[in-house]
Amino acid sequence: EFEEEDKLMRERVESRNSLESMAYGLKSKLNDDEQSANLDDDDKETIEEAVKEAIEFLDENPNAEAEEYKEALETLRTKTQPILSKFAGASSGGGDDDDDEDESTDDL
């Protein structure tokens, strides 16, 4: 009985920590001029709004279930991932296009 409760509590805490970590990590990056310099104003605004929503969810739902935290994390990822992928691709100077190189040249 206690083992199941402990498992559920651990899962809830881990889910909350994942959401907090991502939200506050993104907030920190946005506040770092060096890290956010490559983002345009629209992208910054989109990320800021998504982070704000995630932090508000955390503040308003301190005892949410693990599934609710996971849904909020997925929402945050969905809203920010396209921008972060573009940002990461620009900073690395490439991207993941090498995997499809042979296939894509046949279509040209």
Side-chain angles (χ1 to χ4, degrees):
E1 181 182 327
F2 291 119
E3 186 176 326
E4 183 65 25
E5 287 179 26
D6 288 347
K7 180 183 174 193
L8 292 173
M9 176 66 86
R10 184 172 40 254
E11 186 177 332
R12 187 177 70 76
V13 169
E14 288 172 357
S15 298
R16 180 179 173 88
N17 287 347
S18 294
L19 178 58
E20 281 182 335
S21 177
M22 183 170 185
Y24 286 105
L26 288 171
K27 184 176 182 180
S28 175
K29 287 180 181 180
L30 284 175
N31 292 330
D32 182 339
D33 291 337
E34 188 176 312
Q35 290 192 26
S36 65
N38 293 334
L39 294 173
D40 63 36
D41 289 340
D42 288 340
D43 289 345
K44 284 182 185 178
E45 189 175 315
T46 299
I47 293 174
E48 285 173 350
E49 185 61 33
V51 167
K52 180 181 172 192
E53 289 174 9
I55 292 172
E56 285 176 358
F57 174 83
L58 287 163
D59 290 343
E60 294 169 6
N61 300 283
N63 297 312
E65 296 298 322
E67 195 58 40
E68 293 172 290
Y69 288 126
K70 289 177 183 177
E71 288 174 17
L73 177 60
E74 187 58 35
T75 299
L76 180 58
R77 283 187 178 141
T78 300
K79 291 179 178 180
T80 60
Q81 203 60 44
I83 297 168
L84 298 175
S85 295
K86 178 173 65 174
F87 176 62
S91 66
S92 68
D96 298 329
D97 295 337
D98 293 341
D99 295 339
D100 299 335
E101 190 171 305
D102 293 335
E103 295 171 16
S104 63
T105 54
D106 293 340
D107 294 337
L108 298 175

